[in-house]
Amino acid sequence: MPRRRPGALRAERGTYEDRRPPAWAWRLPSVDRLPPAAAAAVHWARPGRGDEVVELLARYRAFLGRPGGRLLPAPSSCPACPGCARDDIAVVRDELADLHRTLPPAARTALGRVLHGLDAEFRRRTLPEPDPPAARWTDGRGRPLAWWHRRLYACT
């Protein structure tokens, strides 16, 4: 039996614009400060993991809500452990960026607005590292890391 081409499958399924999240997604709790339609789309795109989005945004807000002028991110004490890795705010921001890429357009726009405001505060309250080590410029495959990895850390 011949294989169906990915484009044909996508055309049959339709785009996100002409599909609405199912009724069960609308009944789930809201996600941070996203509008109800965007929160439903988050629950629909990440079934069973909507609470993870809430937790990531809460961690990001908690870091930015610390008292004082300048903030210094701290590296995780155990970066190999998935739970402990989130102690590093750059890992939290990476997970939010990955999530942002997987969402339908309307939810992506709403989450992008929230992240834009949080990122502006992050840039304002942290300092760029004047001479970051090579490990902060690229990942293991040689791809450049995002700007939030090149901030001045508490202990490097």
Side-chain angles (χ1 to χ4, degrees), residues 9-19:
L9 293 172
R10 281 191 300 274
E12 183 179 285
R13 186 180 63 208
T15 61
Y16 276 117
E17 284 82 19
D18 60 357
R19 293 186 291 162

Side-chain angles (χ1 to χ4, degrees), residues 4-149:
R4 296 183 64 192
R5 299 180 76 67
L9 293 172
R10 281 191 300 274
E12 183 179 285
R13 186 180 63 208
T15 61
Y16 276 117
E17 284 82 19
D18 60 357
R19 293 186 291 162
R20 290 179 45 87
W24 61 264
W26 289 87
R27 289 190 294 268
L28 293 171
S30 65
V31 176
D32 200 64
R33 296 177 185 164
L34 299 182
V42 167
H43 287 298
W44 182 37
R46 314 257 313 170
R49 297 180 70 189
D51 292 341
E52 181 182 12
V53 179
V54 173
E55 186 218 342
L56 291 172
L57 286 171
R59 282 181 181 260
Y60 200 27
R61 286 186 196 282
F63 174 76
L64 294 173
R66 290 182 183 166
R70 293 286 176 200
L71 296 174
L72 294 174
S76 173
S77 60
C78 180
C81 174
C84 296
R86 288 183 176 175
D87 292 342
D88 184 356
I89 200 65
V91 172
V92 170
R93 186 58 183 86
D94 281 339
E95 291 182 23
L96 284 168
D98 292 342
L99 169 75
H100 181 261
R101 282 190 289 275
T102 63
L103 292 177
R108 188 179 322 131
T109 301
L111 183 61
R113 283 189 200 114
V114 170
L115 290 177
H116 182 73
L118 293 173
D119 287 344
E121 180 73 6
F122 188 73
R123 281 182 197 256
R124 187 181 70 77
R125 294 197 58 200
T126 60
L127 296 170
E129 186 158 4
D131 189 23
R136 295 246 182 95
W137 282 107
T138 59
D139 63 3
R141 297 181 196 160
R143 294 180 300 198
L145 290 173
W147 62 268
W148 51 83
H149 286 277

